[in-house]
Amino acid sequence: MDGCTNITCILTYNGSLDDICINYSVLGATVLIALFFYVAKFTARGAQENKLALQGWVQLLLLILVMAFQVGLCFGVGCSGVSIVWNALGSWLVFTERRMIYGISSLWSPYPPHIKGAAQALLTIVVAMVLAVDVYYGIISELLTTIAHVCAIILGLVLGFVYERCCCWPRANDGWSYALLSE
């Protein structure tokens, strides 16, 4: 526990330059990769852009809620950081993008071949980054940090599941009919 009681202390890891560099690098890379997947969906789906725009707003809202949760948690227990956010976002990406990349469901149209390779590589990068940094903090930090990271990964999986069920679960064989966003 860092004993942080203000937003600056929370978001700057109480001044730890190493933690700032590590965590904001992972957060920035994960957000950029999430943006790639969002843009790739526009390319893959074409005419469904209005539904994708709404899905983008839902994703942004969920990301803001995770950020607010991170800050609220840190105010409550006196911790610092953004690792809850990048852990949740990383597992959320793995949960939601696996269908598009690997065509797990016959109801989902996978990414076109020119996007699929990059998507696979980026998803692998997300998994490697998140796991590497989690292992690093698992070694150097107290057990509570590791527990928080595991809980954040579970949070991301739950949010991914809820997002898919609410916003983009296929309802028809066309592959692009959405539960709450269908006409």
Side-chain angles (χ1 to χ4, degrees):
M1 298 293 176
D2 298 331
C4 286
T5 58
N6 66 60
I7 192 74
T8 304
C9 179
I10 291 169
L11 296 179
T12 62
Y13 286 88
N14 202 13
S16 170
L17 189 57
D18 290 342
D19 289 331
I20 291 169
C21 291
I22 292 168
N23 285 275
Y24 281 99
S25 294
V26 175
L27 178 62
T30 308
V31 168
L32 287 174
I33 290 170
L35 287 172
F36 165 83
F37 284 122
Y38 183 70
V39 170
K41 283 182 183 68
F42 273 102
T43 304
R45 295 181 183 175
Q48 301 291 333
E49 290 182 13
N50 58 339
K51 293 176 185 177
L52 284 168
L54 183 54
Q55 286 181 1
W57 285 110
V58 170
Q59 289 175 337
L60 182 61
L61 175 64
L62 290 174
L63 182 60
I64 290 169
L65 288 174
V66 171
M67 292 170 142
F69 173 74
Q70 168 86 64
V71 171
L73 176 69
C74 287
F75 274 125
V77 300
C79 65
S80 64
V82 294
S83 61
I84 301 285
V85 178
W86 56 256
N87 269 292
L89 181 57
S91 62
W92 172 4
L93 286 174
V94 169
F95 187 87
T96 58
E97 297 305 323
R98 77 200 187 292
R99 292 182 184 275
M100 292 292 293
I101 293 172
Y102 300 106
I104 290 173
S105 170
S106 62
L107 295 175
W108 285 82
S109 300
Y111 283 125
H114 67 281
I115 295 175
K116 184 177 179 179
Q120 286 173 322
L122 290 173
L123 200 60
T124 301
I125 290 169
V126 166
V127 170
M129 274 189 321
V130 169
L131 288 178
V133 175
D134 280 342
V135 166
Y136 169 74
Y137 280 115
I139 293 168
I140 69 159
S141 297
E142 54 193 61
L143 179 61
L144 188 57
T145 301
T146 302
I147 293 169
H149 288 179
V150 169
C151 289
I153 289 169
I154 293 168
L155 173 64
L157 294 173
V158 169
L159 287 175
F161 177 78
V162 169
Y163 168 75
E164 276 193 350
R165 295 296 289 183
C166 292
C167 295
C168 52
W169 200 263
R171 299 182 86 192
N173 278 338
D174 66 356
W176 301 113
S177 295
Y178 305 96
L180 294 180
L181 304 180
S182 59
E183 278 117 18

